[in-house]
Amino acid sequence: MRTSPLLALLLLLGIALQANDSRWVKNAYQWRAGGTVCTQIIPLYGADFRIHYTQRHKGPLKITLVDASPSSKPRPSRLVVDTKNLLSPGRRDYSGYQKAYLIVEGDSRGWEISVDLYLDSLTEWKWKSAQEESAQTKLVKQGFWVGEGSQQISFTPKSRPWKLVGRGEKPFPMKITVRTQDQQLLFQRITQTAQGESWGWFHSAVPVTITVEAPQELPWSLEALVLP
């Protein structure tokens, strides 16, 4: 059956309107931290996304984009930026990923990263729904430690990904370092506990050593959390 010229025109108009409906959703994901940190796995709705990065002070910054899509052949990891002295904010554009996470190795005094997504109205609704569902998901505790001053902790996670959260009961600087048994650095942050918690995600379930460096007689706590 032949399509009438009017129907064909309406179909083309509908396709054009759907295409023009897409827009950049800015700051779909954001992180503010310092030092060496992995982010959580993020769903990348839509075909295109862009990564913005900056630091509070000039210094080294290395960001690696890691494919976490449900595929037997993930893409090779890609360097977003690798510089000894970041002079100004930057941006990189990517496409074709379903899920990914970032490995950030930056200045301990603080960096900021955000991801924009290019979405049509339907995909944006799906993204917002997933964000709301994720915000309501309570992580399950699989490790908990309290202490004062400096201390070393051996820990073997039962599953992955897992999240480490550090907190202090009083305002003081606390340094947390996580290394594998072969001394690979996975996480390192120096944080002022008065400004909130210190966080980091881990995407392997290998044994690690967690080192806390803090002033004596000042209490802190650590939690290892996993998705239910």
Side-chain angles (χ1 to χ4, degrees):
M1 185 177 72
R2 297 181 62 185
T3 303
S4 69
L6 178 59
L7 181 56
L9 179 61
L10 291 174
L11 288 172
L12 289 173
L13 181 60
I15 294 173
L17 288 173
Q18 185 177 9
N20 291 333
D21 187 41
S22 297
R23 69 180 186 93
W24 282 106
V25 177
K26 296 183 178 181
N27 302 325
Y29 303 104
Q30 291 180 286
W31 303 276
R32 292 180 177 88
T36 298
V37 175
C38 276
T39 72
Q40 74 273 34
I41 294 174
I42 56 172
L44 294 162
Y45 293 85
D48 303 309
F49 65 99
R50 56 195 185 191
I51 300 172
H52 300 263
Y53 53 87
T54 187
Q55 291 197 131
R56 297 173 191 167
H57 301 271
K58 294 180 181 180
L61 179 65
K62 179 179 179 181
I63 303 173
T64 306
L65 174 65
V66 182
D67 187 10
S69 304
S71 170
S72 58
K73 294 183 179 180
R75 296 179 176 214
S77 298
R78 300 182 65 176
L79 279 175
V80 178
V81 61
D82 187 6
T83 178
K84 298 298 182 183
N85 190 21
L86 182 68
L87 299 177
S88 60
R91 191 190 87 186
R92 294 291 185 273
D93 296 68
Y94 298 95
S95 63
Y97 290 74
Q98 297 180 48
K99 294 182 178 181
Y101 64 90
L102 300 176
I103 303 173
V104 187
E105 302 165 73
D107 192 276
S108 62
R109 294 170 294 181
W111 43 256
E112 297 182 15
I113 298 173
S114 63
V115 175
D116 301 338
L117 301 178
Y118 192 64
L119 306 176
D120 59 35
S121 56
L122 176 59
T123 312
E124 184 176 352
W125 175 82
K126 291 180 180 179
W127 167 74
K128 288 181 178 179
S129 298
Q131 289 294 100
E132 292 173 359
E133 182 178 347
S134 177
Q136 295 173 1
T137 301
K138 292 185 178 180
L139 300 178
V140 178
K141 187 184 299 183
Q142 67 169 347
F144 181 73
W145 306 271
V146 294
E148 295 181 357
S150 298
Q151 187 173 330
Q152 270 196 350
I153 301 163
S154 296
F155 174 60
T156 301
K158 298 177 181 178
S159 60
R160 63 182 178 91
W162 60 280
K163 182 181 184 182
L164 183 68
V165 177
R167 301 182 180 90
E169 294 184 11
K170 296 181 180 180
F172 62 86
M174 179 170 65
K175 181 179 180 179
I176 304 174
T177 304
V178 180
R179 295 183 184 272
T180 63
Q181 290 182 331
D182 59 0
Q183 295 302 303
Q184 179 187 358
L185 178 64
L186 300 180
F187 174 86
Q188 188 171 74
R189 282 198 65 188
I190 302 173
T191 183
Q192 293 287 336
T193 58
Q195 298 173 1
E197 64 184 28
S198 178
W199 59 267
W201 283 89
F202 301 83
H203 300 281
S204 61
V206 299
V208 297
T209 299
I210 305 170
T211 303
V212 179
E213 298 175 61
Q216 292 293 330
E217 299 181 358
L218 289 176
W220 49 260
S221 66
L222 290 177
E223 285 183 299
L225 307 167
V226 295
L227 295 169

